[in-house]
Amino acid sequence: MLADLQDIVGDLVRDAVSRLGDAARDRAIGLAVVQYGKDRPRVIVEDLVSAAGTPKTLPLPADWLQGQSRALSIEYPIGEVPTSLLPRHLWTVATVPTGEIIALPAEAVTGAAHRLAWCRPHVVSAFEDSIPDQDREAVAQYAAGLLLDQLATLTSGDRESTIKGDSVDHGEAAPNYAARAKTARQRYHDLLGIDPKRLQPASVTVNPPLVSSKGEGRLLWRRKRS
């Protein structure tokens, strides 16, 4: 539950929580839950019966959240070995005036059971918690990293104290908090077995060939002149 995550985050970065406050801690936990949902989607499998109409459709699950839930696959017929999945190009989640629908192929059998795999956002509150026990530390570590990043920004303007006898090195506060934040994020990735490098989008720089001053293409060979 939420109270458990609050306690874990407090244990990890009590100095950050005491300085930034409980509201900042809870916002960081909320953002950590969102990130966890991207890395570990909350997948639900449900059997639904196709309905007649144009187009033929599957009813939306009762807990479907428009704009947030996502359909992953549809098994039909159910129970075949190997599993028989409808090709992705034959069905879609479409938005109509009444909301979202799952549109099936025209040849779909009305009244037939279809097995829908779909995902919805994770929830952590005083009454509901969808984070598995084994991943609670990971979520807390991500939240801790966010709080430490905030402290790094907050203390980035600190200078060494001129008060005699002050043993705190204010100039090192921001780098120390930034280093701890990096460690917390790495711990999050390690606990979930995620390689952060694979999450970085690949980029390719292409220099398009420009024409020469004579309007000719710049090729690797020279054009023979007549």
Side-chain angles (χ1 to χ4, degrees):
M1 295 299 176
L2 177 60
D4 298 329
L5 274 177
Q6 290 170 336
D7 290 341
I8 298 173
V9 173
D11 291 340
L12 292 172
V13 286
R14 195 164 301 280
D15 55 336
V17 175
S18 62
R19 186 162 182 177
L20 297 173
D22 291 346
R25 174 204 60 197
D26 292 346
R27 287 192 295 271
I29 290 175
L31 291 173
V33 171
V34 171
Q35 181 61 47
Y36 174 76
K38 295 177 181 179
D39 296 323
R40 289 289 185 273
R42 183 184 181 186
V43 179
I44 301 169
V45 178
E46 192 167 344
D47 290 348
L48 302 166
V49 175
S50 56
T54 305
K56 293 181 179 178
T57 62
L58 274 185
L60 292 175
D63 295 332
W64 182 274
L65 298 175
Q66 183 166 332
Q68 300 183 61
S69 297
R70 182 163 53 95
L72 302 176
S73 66
I74 297 176
E75 179 184 349
Y76 178 80
I78 294 175
E80 290 195 349
V81 180
T83 302
S84 177
L85 298 179
L86 284 181
R88 187 62 183 85
H89 68 279
L90 294 182
W91 61 273
T92 187
V93 177
T95 302
V96 297
T98 57
E100 291 180 327
I101 62 170
I102 302 177
L104 296 174
E107 61 271 18
V109 178
T110 301
H114 292 65
R115 182 160 292 166
L116 175 69
W118 61 287
C119 61
R120 60 170 300 178
H122 282 279
V123 176
V124 176
S125 69
F127 309 101
E128 184 180 1
D129 188 348
S130 64
I131 307 296
D133 290 342
Q134 67 268 21
D135 291 341
R136 302 188 71 74
E137 183 194 344
V139 174
Q141 289 284 0
Y142 195 93
L146 293 174
L147 292 172
L148 291 167
D149 273 334
Q150 292 180 53
L151 273 185
T153 301
L154 187 65
T155 58
S156 61
D158 287 358
R159 294 292 182 268
E160 186 175 352
S161 175
T162 58
I163 301 175
K164 187 176 181 179
D166 187 352
S167 61
V168 178
D169 189 347
H170 295 271
E172 291 297 320
N176 286 340
Y177 284 129
R180 290 174 59 192
K182 182 178 180 181
T183 300
R185 284 191 294 272
Q186 185 59 54
R187 177 67 175 162
Y188 168 82
H189 292 132
D190 290 344
L191 287 169
L192 296 184
I194 295 173
D195 180 4
K197 293 181 180 179
R198 73 171 176 80
L199 302 177
Q200 299 176 0
S203 62
V204 178
T205 302
V206 177
N207 294 318
L210 303 178
V211 296
S212 69
S213 59
K214 298 181 180 297
E216 301 173 349
R218 296 183 183 273
L219 303 177
L220 297 178
W221 59 88
R222 293 182 179 277
R223 182 178 178 181
K224 294 182 179 179
R225 298 181 181 275
S226 57

